[in-house]
Amino acid sequence: MFELGGAMRGSVHVTGTTDPHRWDQFTAVRACLGIVNAFKTTAPDDALPRLARSRTGYRGSLTLYRYADRPAESVSPMMSAADHPPSEKTAAVLTAVLRGCAEHVAQRADLPAILEASRYRDTPGLLRFLTWSVSHHEAEAVRLESEARAALPAQRAAEAAWRTAAQWLALSPHPVLLLMLADRPGSLPQKIRELQWWAPYCVEAAAEEHARARRAEAEVASLRAQQRRRPRGRRPALVGAP
């Protein structure tokens, strides 16, 4: 926990967290404005950090991690207690404060203990979420595959209707037939184009959902393996404040 002074008043809490691209890898640090855990706990409005000469408190967080073996950061949207975004200058100050606190913790000698404590704390919740994600993505894949299958006969029926209308028009021109064959919203030509696009889209989207499910399954397996490697009954020691 960092108690702020100078340009800002309030506190910043820094904790270990997962890599944004690998939820089974606790290798990142997250700095939060006035909140202990950006994903679980929200501080009271009057406890939010604020600029020294302002009454407006702000919430938000910044995560430091490595991507492609280079330092990277992810900043959540900064919002006031009244859910208004800060000015550009205030946002820059808030981001700089969060970055400075996160970088300080990232360089601490006891960072491995901080990350291990975070792993111990967050793994049960992550396992519940990722297990739900597997079922959710697989269900979405099944739904999309069903949509793709249904689109093919619908496309064939629309094409057959277009050919029939074209034959009738050739035999007996009529304004209604012209409307059916015209390229306009709700017409047969537009419906056919939409169905021609929809089936391949659903197939591709279903494959992506299967891939997301496999990724979540792999992360579940990794987290459970990490739990098994941790000695039973041993809770990571709490680390002191800087």
Side-chain angles (χ1 to χ4, degrees):
M1 185 74 74
F2 293 82
E3 292 299 330
L4 305 175
M8 290 190 67
R9 296 290 186 268
S11 61
V12 170
H13 187 274
V14 182
T15 182
T17 189
T18 58
D19 184 300
H21 304 283
R22 289 287 305 273
W23 287 15
D24 59 327
Q25 299 298 315
F26 284 79
T27 56
V29 294
R30 184 175 64 247
C32 307
L33 289 170
I35 40 183
V36 172
N37 189 323
F39 299 127
K40 297 179 181 178
T41 307
T42 301
D45 290 350
D46 58 1
L48 293 174
R50 62 202 65 214
L51 297 180
R53 297 183 179 181
S54 173
R55 296 182 179 180
T56 303
Y58 293 94
R59 57 174 57 92
S61 66
L62 178 146
T63 300
L64 288 184
Y65 62 102
R66 296 191 70 81
Y67 183 72
D69 206 30
R70 299 181 63 182
E73 67 180 39
S74 173
V75 183
S76 71
M78 304 289 179
M79 300 296 288
S80 71
D83 289 330
H84 297 305
S87 67
E88 185 175 342
K89 182 178 180 180
T90 299
V93 172
L94 297 173
T95 301
V97 169
L98 289 173
R99 184 185 298 115
C101 294
E103 288 176 345
H104 178 92
V105 172
Q107 295 169 7
R108 285 176 57 130
D110 60 353
L111 177 62
I114 295 174
L115 295 175
E116 178 61 19
S118 301
R119 187 196 318 275
Y120 185 93
R121 178 196 65 213
D122 291 345
T123 291
L126 279 171
L127 284 173
R128 288 191 296 270
F129 171 73
L130 290 170
T131 300
W132 170 85
S133 293
V134 172
S135 300
H136 171 74
H137 291 309
E138 287 294 355
E140 277 296 292
V142 170
R143 181 187 67 79
L144 288 163
E145 288 166 346
S146 177
E147 292 271 357
R149 289 192 297 271
L152 295 176
Q155 177 185 334
R156 288 194 290 268
E159 290 170 344
W162 185 92
R163 288 192 295 269
T164 299
Q167 291 169 357
W168 289 350
L169 182 65
L171 295 173
S172 178
H174 193 281
V176 173
L177 295 174
L178 288 173
L179 288 175
M180 291 177 63
L181 296 172
D183 190 358
R184 62 184 184 84
S187 67
L188 281 172
Q190 187 175 78
K191 184 177 181 180
I192 291 169
R193 282 200 304 273
E194 290 173 352
L195 290 169
Q196 288 173 337
W197 167 84
W198 181 243
Y201 166 79
C202 287
V203 171
E204 183 178 348
E208 292 174 354
E209 291 294 333
H210 281 306
R212 292 188 183 101
R214 289 192 298 271
R215 175 177 173 177
E217 286 178 331
E219 290 176 333
V220 166
S222 174
L223 286 169
R224 286 177 174 163
Q226 293 174 51
Q227 280 186 320
R228 289 192 294 270
R229 290 197 298 269
R230 186 184 304 132
R232 288 183 177 273
R234 181 182 175 186
R235 187 185 181 94
L238 296 177
V239 295

Coordinates of all heavy atoms in Angstrom, one line a residue, residues 24-76:
D24 N -3.2 -18.1 -16.6 CA -2.6 -19.1 -15.7 C -1.2 -18.7 -15.2 O -0.6 -19.4 -14.4 CB -2.6 -20.5 -16.3 CG -1.7 -20.4 -17.6 OD1 -1.7 -19.4 -18.3 OD2 -1.1 -21.4 -17.9
Q25 N -0.8 -17.5 -15.7 CA 0.6 -17.1 -15.4 C 0.6 -15.8 -14.5 O 0.2 -14.8 -15.0 CB 1.4 -16.9 -16.7 CG 1.6 -18.1 -17.5 CD 2.3 -19.2 -16.8 OE1 3.3 -19.0 -16.2 NE2 1.8 -20.4 -17.0
F26 N 1.0 -15.9 -13.3 CA 1.0 -14.8 -12.4 C 2.4 -14.1 -12.5 O 3.3 -14.4 -11.8 CB 0.7 -15.2 -11.0 CG -0.7 -15.4 -10.7 CD1 -1.3 -16.6 -11.1 CD2 -1.5 -14.5 -10.1 CE1 -2.7 -16.9 -10.9 CE2 -2.9 -14.7 -9.9 CZ -3.5 -15.9 -10.3
T27 N 2.5 -13.2 -13.5 CA 3.8 -12.6 -13.8 C 3.7 -11.1 -13.9 O 4.6 -10.4 -14.2 CB 4.3 -13.1 -15.1 OG1 3.4 -12.9 -16.1 CG2 4.7 -14.6 -15.0
A28 N 2.5 -10.5 -13.6 CA 2.2 -9.1 -13.8 C 1.9 -8.4 -12.4 O 1.7 -9.1 -11.4 CB 1.1 -8.8 -14.7
V29 N 2.0 -7.1 -12.4 CA 1.6 -6.4 -11.2 C 0.5 -5.4 -11.6 O 0.6 -4.8 -12.7 CB 2.8 -5.7 -10.5 CG1 3.8 -6.7 -9.9 CG2 3.5 -4.7 -11.4
R30 N -0.4 -5.1 -10.7 CA -1.5 -4.2 -10.9 C -1.6 -3.2 -9.8 O -1.7 -3.5 -8.6 CB -2.8 -5.0 -11.0 CG -4.0 -4.1 -11.4 CD -5.3 -4.8 -11.7 NE -5.8 -5.5 -10.4 CZ -5.8 -6.8 -10.3 NH1 -5.4 -7.6 -11.2 NH2 -6.3 -7.3 -9.1
A31 N -1.6 -1.9 -10.2 CA -1.7 -0.8 -9.3 C -3.1 -0.3 -9.4 O -3.6 0.0 -10.5 CB -0.7 0.3 -9.6
C32 N -3.8 -0.1 -8.2 CA -5.2 0.3 -8.2 C -5.3 1.6 -7.3 O -4.7 1.8 -6.3 CB -6.0 -0.7 -7.6 SG -5.9 -2.4 -8.3
L33 N -6.2 2.5 -7.8 CA -6.5 3.7 -7.1 C -7.5 3.5 -5.9 O -8.7 3.3 -6.2 CB -7.0 4.8 -8.0 CG -6.0 5.4 -9.0 CD1 -6.8 6.2 -10.0 CD2 -5.0 6.2 -8.3
G34 N -7.0 3.4 -4.7 CA -7.8 3.4 -3.6 C -8.6 2.1 -3.4 O -9.5 2.0 -2.5
I35 N -8.3 1.0 -4.1 CA -9.0 -0.2 -4.0 C -8.0 -1.4 -3.8 O -6.9 -1.4 -4.4 CB -9.9 -0.5 -5.2 CG1 -9.3 -0.1 -6.5 CG2 -11.2 0.2 -5.0 CD1 -10.1 -0.2 -7.7
V36 N -8.4 -2.4 -3.0 CA -7.5 -3.5 -2.7 C -7.4 -4.4 -3.9 O -6.3 -4.9 -4.2 CB -7.9 -4.2 -1.5 CG1 -7.1 -5.5 -1.2 CG2 -7.8 -3.3 -0.2
N37 N -8.5 -4.7 -4.6 CA -8.5 -5.6 -5.7 C -9.4 -5.0 -6.8 O -10.6 -4.9 -6.6 CB -8.9 -7.0 -5.3 CG -8.7 -8.0 -6.4 OD1 -8.9 -7.7 -7.6 ND2 -8.4 -9.2 -6.1
A38 N -8.8 -4.6 -7.9 CA -9.6 -3.9 -8.9 C -10.8 -4.7 -9.5 O -11.7 -4.2 -10.0 CB -8.7 -3.5 -10.1
F39 N -10.7 -6.1 -9.3 CA -11.8 -6.9 -9.8 C -12.8 -7.3 -8.8 O -13.8 -7.9 -9.1 CB -11.2 -8.2 -10.4 CG -10.2 -7.9 -11.6 CD1 -8.9 -8.4 -11.6 CD2 -10.6 -7.1 -12.6 CE1 -8.1 -8.1 -12.6 CE2 -9.7 -6.8 -13.7 CZ -8.5 -7.3 -13.7
K40 N -12.6 -7.0 -7.5 CA -13.5 -7.4 -6.5 C -14.0 -6.3 -5.5 O -15.1 -6.4 -5.1 CB -12.8 -8.5 -5.6 CG -12.4 -9.8 -6.4 CD -11.7 -10.7 -5.4 CE -11.2 -12.0 -6.2 NZ -10.5 -12.9 -5.3
T41 N -13.2 -5.4 -5.2 CA -13.5 -4.4 -4.1 C -13.4 -3.0 -4.7 O -12.5 -2.6 -5.4 CB -12.5 -4.6 -3.0 OG1 -12.5 -6.0 -2.6 CG2 -12.9 -3.8 -1.8
T42 N -14.4 -2.2 -4.3 CA -14.4 -0.8 -4.6 C -14.4 0.0 -3.3 O -15.1 -0.2 -2.4 CB -15.7 -0.5 -5.4 OG1 -15.7 -1.2 -6.6 CG2 -15.7 1.0 -5.8
A43 N -13.5 1.0 -3.3 CA -13.4 1.8 -2.1 C -14.6 2.8 -2.0 O -15.1 3.2 -3.1 CB -12.1 2.6 -2.2
P44 N -14.9 3.3 -0.8 CA -15.9 4.3 -0.7 C -15.5 5.6 -1.5 O -14.3 5.8 -1.6 CB -16.0 4.6 0.8 CG -15.4 3.3 1.4 CD -14.4 2.8 0.5
D45 N -16.5 6.3 -2.0 CA -16.1 7.5 -2.8 C -15.2 8.5 -2.0 O -14.3 9.0 -2.6 CB -17.4 8.2 -3.2 CG -18.2 7.4 -4.2 OD1 -17.7 6.4 -4.7 OD2 -19.4 7.8 -4.5
D46 N -15.4 8.6 -0.7 CA -14.6 9.6 0.0 C -13.2 9.1 0.3 O -12.4 9.8 0.8 CB -15.3 10.0 1.3 CG -15.6 8.8 2.2 OD1 -15.2 7.7 1.8 OD2 -16.2 9.0 3.3
A47 N -12.9 7.8 0.0 CA -11.6 7.3 0.2 C -10.8 7.2 -1.1 O -9.6 6.8 -1.1 CB -11.7 5.9 0.8
L48 N -11.4 7.6 -2.2 CA -10.7 7.6 -3.5 C -9.6 8.6 -3.6 O -9.7 9.7 -3.1 CB -11.6 7.8 -4.6 CG -12.7 6.7 -4.8 CD1 -13.7 7.1 -5.9 CD2 -12.0 5.3 -5.2
P49 N -8.4 8.3 -4.2 CA -7.3 9.3 -4.3 C -7.8 10.5 -5.1 O -8.7 10.4 -6.0 CB -6.3 8.5 -5.1 CG -6.6 7.1 -4.8 CD -8.0 7.0 -4.7
R50 N -7.2 11.6 -4.8 CA -7.6 12.9 -5.5 C -6.4 13.8 -5.6 O -5.4 13.6 -4.9 CB -8.7 13.6 -4.8 CG -8.4 14.0 -3.3 CD -9.6 14.2 -2.5 NE -10.3 12.9 -2.3 CZ -11.6 12.7 -2.2 NH1 -12.4 13.8 -2.3 NH2 -12.2 11.6 -2.1
L51 N -6.4 14.7 -6.6 CA -5.4 15.7 -6.6 C -5.4 16.5 -5.4 O -6.4 16.7 -4.7 CB -5.6 16.6 -7.9 CG -5.5 15.8 -9.2 CD1 -5.7 16.8 -10.4 CD2 -4.2 15.1 -9.4
A52 N -4.2 17.1 -5.0 CA -4.1 17.7 -3.7 C -5.1 18.9 -3.5 O -5.6 19.1 -2.4 CB -2.7 18.2 -3.6
R53 N -5.4 19.6 -4.6 CA -6.3 20.8 -4.5 C -7.7 20.5 -5.0 O -8.4 21.4 -5.4 CB -5.7 22.0 -5.2 CG -4.4 22.4 -4.6 CD -3.8 23.6 -5.2 NE -2.6 24.1 -4.6 CZ -1.9 25.2 -5.1 NH1 -2.3 25.9 -6.1 NH2 -0.8 25.5 -4.5
S54 N -8.1 19.2 -5.1 CA -9.4 18.9 -5.7 C -10.2 18.0 -4.7 O -9.6 17.3 -3.9 CB -9.2 18.1 -7.0 OG -10.4 17.6 -7.5
R55 N -11.5 18.1 -4.8 CA -12.4 17.2 -4.0 C -12.8 16.0 -4.8 O -13.6 15.2 -4.2 CB -13.6 18.0 -3.6 CG -13.3 19.2 -2.6 CD -14.5 19.9 -2.2 NE -14.3 21.0 -1.3 CZ -15.2 21.8 -0.8 NH1 -16.5 21.6 -1.1 NH2 -14.9 22.8 0.0
T56 N -12.4 15.9 -6.0 CA -12.9 14.8 -6.9 C -12.0 13.6 -6.7 O -10.8 13.7 -7.0 CB -12.9 15.2 -8.3 OG1 -13.8 16.3 -8.5 CG2 -13.4 14.1 -9.2
G57 N -12.5 12.4 -6.3 CA -11.8 11.2 -6.2 C -11.9 10.4 -7.5 O -12.9 10.5 -8.2
Y58 N -10.8 9.6 -7.7 CA -10.8 8.8 -9.0 C -10.5 7.3 -8.7 O -9.8 7.0 -7.7 CB -9.7 9.3 -9.9 CG -10.1 10.7 -10.5 CD1 -9.6 11.8 -9.9 CD2 -10.9 10.8 -11.6 CE1 -9.9 13.1 -10.4 CE2 -11.2 12.1 -12.1 CZ -10.7 13.2 -11.5 OH -11.0 14.5 -11.9
R59 N -11.1 6.5 -9.5 CA -10.8 5.0 -9.5 C -10.2 4.6 -10.8 O -10.5 5.2 -11.8 CB -12.0 4.2 -9.1 CG -13.2 4.4 -10.0 CD -14.3 3.4 -9.6 NE -14.7 3.6 -8.2 CZ -15.7 4.4 -7.8 NH1 -16.4 5.1 -8.7 NH2 -16.1 4.5 -6.6
G60 N -9.5 3.5 -10.8 CA -8.9 3.0 -12.0 C -7.7 2.1 -11.7 O -7.3 2.0 -10.5
S61 N -7.1 1.5 -12.7 CA -5.9 0.6 -12.4 C -5.0 0.6 -13.6 O -5.4 0.9 -14.7 CB -6.4 -0.8 -12.0 OG -7.0 -1.4 -13.1
L62 N -3.8 0.2 -13.3 CA -2.7 0.0 -14.4 C -2.0 -1.3 -14.1 O -1.6 -1.6 -13.0 CB -1.8 1.2 -14.4 CG -0.6 1.1 -15.4 CD1 -0.3 2.5 -15.8 CD2 0.6 0.5 -14.7
T63 N -1.8 -2.1 -15.2 CA -1.2 -3.4 -15.1 C 0.1 -3.4 -15.9 O 0.1 -3.0 -17.0 CB -2.1 -4.5 -15.6 OG1 -3.3 -4.6 -14.8 CG2 -1.4 -5.9 -15.5
L64 N 1.2 -3.8 -15.2 CA 2.5 -3.9 -15.9 C 2.8 -5.4 -16.2 O 2.6 -6.2 -15.3 CB 3.6 -3.3 -15.0 CG 3.8 -1.8 -14.8 CD1 5.0 -1.5 -14.0 CD2 3.8 -1.1 -16.2
Y65 N 3.2 -5.7 -17.4 CA 3.5 -7.1 -17.8 C 4.5 -7.0 -18.9 O 5.0 -6.0 -19.3 CB 2.2 -7.8 -18.2 CG 1.5 -7.2 -19.4 CD1 1.7 -7.8 -20.7 CD2 0.7 -6.1 -19.3 CE1 1.0 -7.3 -21.8 CE2 0.1 -5.5 -20.4 CZ 0.2 -6.1 -21.6 OH -0.4 -5.6 -22.7
R66 N 4.9 -8.2 -19.4 CA 5.8 -8.3 -20.5 C 5.1 -8.9 -21.7 O 4.4 -9.9 -21.5 CB 7.1 -9.1 -20.2 CG 7.9 -8.4 -19.1 CD 9.2 -9.1 -18.9 NE 10.1 -8.9 -20.0 CZ 10.8 -7.8 -20.2 NH1 10.8 -6.8 -19.3 NH2 11.6 -7.6 -21.2
Y67 N 5.3 -8.3 -22.9 CA 4.7 -8.9 -24.1 C 5.8 -8.9 -25.2 O 6.5 -7.9 -25.4 CB 3.6 -8.0 -24.6 CG 2.8 -8.5 -25.8 CD1 2.0 -9.6 -25.7 CD2 3.0 -7.9 -27.0 CE1 1.4 -10.1 -26.8 CE2 2.3 -8.4 -28.1 CZ 1.5 -9.5 -28.0 OH 0.9 -10.0 -29.1
A68 N 5.9 -10.1 -25.8 CA 7.0 -10.3 -26.8 C 8.4 -9.9 -26.1 O 9.2 -9.3 -26.8 CB 6.7 -9.5 -28.0
D69 N 8.5 -10.3 -24.9 CA 9.7 -10.1 -24.1 C 10.1 -8.6 -24.0 O 11.3 -8.2 -23.8 CB 10.9 -10.8 -24.8 CG 12.0 -11.2 -23.7 OD1 11.6 -11.4 -22.6 OD2 13.2 -11.2 -24.1
R70 N 9.1 -7.7 -24.0 CA 9.3 -6.3 -23.8 C 8.3 -5.8 -22.8 O 7.2 -6.3 -22.7 CB 9.1 -5.5 -25.1 CG 10.1 -5.9 -26.2 CD 9.9 -5.1 -27.5 NE 10.1 -3.7 -27.3 CZ 10.0 -2.8 -28.2 NH1 9.6 -3.2 -29.4 NH2 10.3 -1.5 -28.0
P71 N 8.7 -4.8 -22.0 CA 7.7 -4.2 -21.0 C 6.5 -3.6 -21.7 O 6.6 -3.0 -22.8 CB 8.5 -3.1 -20.4 CG 10.0 -3.4 -20.6 CD 10.0 -4.1 -22.0
A72 N 5.3 -3.9 -21.1 CA 4.1 -3.4 -21.6 C 3.2 -3.0 -20.5 O 3.4 -3.4 -19.3 CB 3.4 -4.4 -22.5
E73 N 2.1 -2.2 -20.7 CA 1.2 -1.8 -19.7 C -0.2 -1.7 -20.3 O -0.4 -1.5 -21.4 CB 1.6 -0.5 -19.0 CG 1.5 0.7 -20.0 CD 1.9 2.0 -19.3 OE1 2.8 2.0 -18.5 OE2 1.2 3.1 -19.5
S74 N -1.2 -2.0 -19.4 CA -2.6 -1.9 -19.7 C -3.2 -1.0 -18.7 O -3.1 -1.2 -17.5 CB -3.2 -3.3 -19.7 OG -4.6 -3.2 -19.9
V75 N -3.9 0.1 -19.1 CA -4.6 1.0 -18.2 C -6.1 0.9 -18.4 O -6.6 1.0 -19.5 CB -4.1 2.4 -18.5 CG1 -4.7 3.4 -17.5 CG2 -2.6 2.6 -18.5
S76 N -6.8 0.7 -17.2 CA -8.2 0.7 -17.2 C -8.7 2.1 -17.3 O -8.0 3.0 -17.0 CB -8.8 0.0 -16.0 OG -8.5 0.8 -14.8

